[in-house]
Amino acid sequence: TTYPSLIMKPMKLSSCTSAHETRSSQAATTEGAPELSSDIACEPSLKSSLLGETTKAVNKVAKVLRRDDPGLVVEISSPADLHAALGYAGSPLLQGASIEESRIAFVNWLAAQALRVPGVSPNNKIGDTAWASFTSSIQAMLVLSGQWMVVSWVASIQQAGFAAPPARVLYMEGTGPGRCTMCT
């Protein structure tokens, strides 16, 4: 299994949208799970793979986006795998004493790293793991590529045989007031 980073670098939006793109309202939803806003366009496979908390965060970010505005949402797909991965070589922070302590430490690390990018402030943060209101797509990419990608850690996780990264970034780009396209 190969993946470019623990927190995956998004592709160009043009590669995220295609003839296969669908409005989220066209895909089936799980009983009781939050529904992805119909104003968010993404691949059906991405929509169906979102966790409930991630769907809530994505919906919140979409509401504040305007045309060409970027947004980032980090989904922790497996807190247990994240906890284990924090014990591997190259990890950007120490493993917590419990799964929840590791999750909290990781969320705090995401925030601290994002705030290292000039112009990013706590005002850009929406909830625990979502970011929006960047001054430009360059600023969002500096957070993602310059602060959150940890290549040596990714290599350790890949060598350990994880089937997928324990966390991923969803990249969103506004297509109009409150509307966006989303990809990994």
Side-chain angles (χ1 to χ4, degrees), residues 63-126:
K63 288 179 184 178
V64 303
L65 296 180
R66 296 178 311 268
R67 184 165 187 78
D68 298 327
D69 282 351
L72 302 172
V73 176
V74 177
E75 178 180 67
I76 299 172
S77 53
S78 171
D81 284 352
L82 175 65
H83 175 68
L86 289 174
Y88 293 150
S91 172
L93 60 150
L94 295 174
Q95 185 182 47
S98 67
I99 291 171
E100 182 61 11
E101 284 182 22
S102 287
R103 188 196 66 76
I104 291 168
F106 184 71
V107 167
N108 290 338
W109 175 81
L110 291 170
Q113 294 303 109
L115 293 172
R116 294 178 65 175
V117 173
V120 175
S121 76
N123 295 332
N124 295 96
K125 192 173 179 197
I126 299 173

Side-chain angles (χ1 to χ4, degrees), residues 24-155:
S24 61
S25 61
Q26 295 173 337
T29 59
T30 305
E31 185 79 25
E35 199 167 321
L36 191 65
S37 168
S38 62
D39 291 326
I40 301 170
C42 67
E43 294 288 333
S45 61
L46 176 56
K47 181 190 187 270
S48 67
S49 72
L50 294 176
L51 300 175
E53 289 302 312
T54 305
T55 301
K56 289 177 188 176
V58 164
N59 287 339
K60 286 179 186 177
V61 170
K63 288 179 184 178
V64 303
L65 296 180
R66 296 178 311 268
R67 184 165 187 78
D68 298 327
D69 282 351
L72 302 172
V73 176
V74 177
E75 178 180 67
I76 299 172
S77 53
S78 171
D81 284 352
L82 175 65
H83 175 68
L86 289 174
Y88 293 150
S91 172
L93 60 150
L94 295 174
Q95 185 182 47
S98 67
I99 291 171
E100 182 61 11
E101 284 182 22
S102 287
R103 188 196 66 76
I104 291 168
F106 184 71
V107 167
N108 290 338
W109 175 81
L110 291 170
Q113 294 303 109
L115 293 172
R116 294 178 65 175
V117 173
V120 175
S121 76
N123 295 332
N124 295 96
K125 192 173 179 197
I126 299 173
D128 278 349
T129 60
W131 298 78
S133 303
F134 295 103
T135 57
S136 69
S137 59
I138 293 171
Q139 191 180 46
M141 294 310 276
L142 286 172
V143 169
L144 179 58
S145 299
Q147 299 300 317
W148 289 349
M149 277 185 27
V150 183
V151 176
S152 60
W153 187 30
V154 172

